[in-house]
Amino acid sequence: MRNLLLATAAGLAALAAPASAAVTVATTTSGTNPASDPGFSPNLALIYDFDALSPTGGNLTGDYKIEVAPGTGIAAAPVGTTPGTHFLTVPDSTSNGSATLKLGGSYKYVSFYWGSIDDYNTLELLDAGGNLLYSVTGSGLPAPTAANGNQQAPTSNRRVTFSSDAVNIAQLRLSSTNYAFEIDTVAAAVPEPATWALMIGGLGLVGFAARRRSRQAVTCA
């Protein structure tokens, strides 16, 4: 029984921290011109909107600015952002820099509204330890994304959603070699409740089988 429990614990540890995690990316748009944020899935929860939910306590570090929409000509809010509200732009003081946003937990799904996407924008997904999980440039996003910096078109202002096969997305690192990388309304979620239910059910079956074998062993003795 002890060996069975140890084996089960080892299996769960492998599920919780796989050697490498596969990440997929999808983009959506309002379909209108000028564009607007189509919004995140109702299964996700808003983490940062850079207004009342602005990062504090070291959750955002690097070369960045919390800008007021509509922004400047250099850094423009993702189109459709309500004037007077805030968004994140990277870099701030130079035309080449990066910033890291800690999500306050580890997630399987992460989504944000990416404005005026450029080919010189780079996003990296990191785990809690700062290990790289996934990297993509503006030009590497799925079609019909256009990484041409257009501040109005729906093809270059898109809701981007990342999904991992493990609960390990904990940080976003935004880098840009020119002005600018702008995002808003970051949302995230852990696995669906059904996933946990399956895991718990599986553990219950393992425990039942172990008890049954134990009773059979006593009877045979």
Side-chain angles (χ1 to χ4, degrees):
M1 180 65 175
R2 181 174 180 273
N3 289 339
L4 177 61
L5 290 175
L6 289 174
T8 302
L12 285 176
L15 286 173
S20 61
V23 175
T24 58
V25 56
T27 70
T28 55
T29 179
S30 62
T32 59
N33 196 349
S36 62
D37 184 0
F40 49 85
S41 166
N43 297 325
L44 277 63
L46 181 67
I47 297 179
Y48 298 125
D49 63 5
F50 306 107
D51 289 304
L53 301 178
S54 294
T56 58
N59 288 343
L60 183 55
T61 57
D63 188 10
Y64 70 91
K65 185 177 182 180
I66 304 297
E67 182 67 88
V68 180
T72 66
I74 293 176
V79 64
T81 300
T82 303
T85 61
H86 296 77
F87 65 98
L88 173 65
T89 179
V90 177
D92 172 29
S93 57
T94 69
S95 60
N96 187 354
S98 65
T100 300
L101 176 64
K102 294 183 178 180
L103 302 178
S106 295
Y107 300 92
K108 183 174 181 180
Y109 305 101
V110 174
S111 177
F112 60 82
Y113 187 33
W114 188 340
S116 53
I117 300 168
D118 288 294
D119 58 3
Y120 47 76
N121 298 157
T122 300
L123 174 75
E124 295 172 295
L125 303 182
L126 312 174
D127 66 14
N131 300 302
L132 179 64
L133 303 173
Y134 180 82
S135 177
V136 66
T137 63
S139 57
L141 294 171
T145 303
N148 57 14
N150 189 301
Q151 296 179 354
Q152 298 293 313
T155 50
S156 55
N157 292 266
R158 305 181 71 84
R159 166 67 53 175
V160 184
T161 302
F162 301 90
S163 59
S164 169
D165 61 1
V167 187
N168 55 6
I169 304 175
Q171 305 178 63
L172 306 179
R173 184 159 60 207
L174 290 69
S175 303
S176 191
T177 57
N178 206 335
Y179 288 116
F181 191 158
E182 305 100 339
I183 71 169
D184 202 0
T185 53
V186 180
V190 294
E192 303 89 340
T195 303
W196 293 116
L198 288 173
M199 290 180 63
I200 293 171
L203 288 175
L205 290 175
V206 169
F208 173 78
R211 288 193 299 273
R212 182 180 179 188
R213 282 196 294 270
S214 177
R215 286 198 299 268
Q216 288 176 341
V218 171
T219 301
C220 292

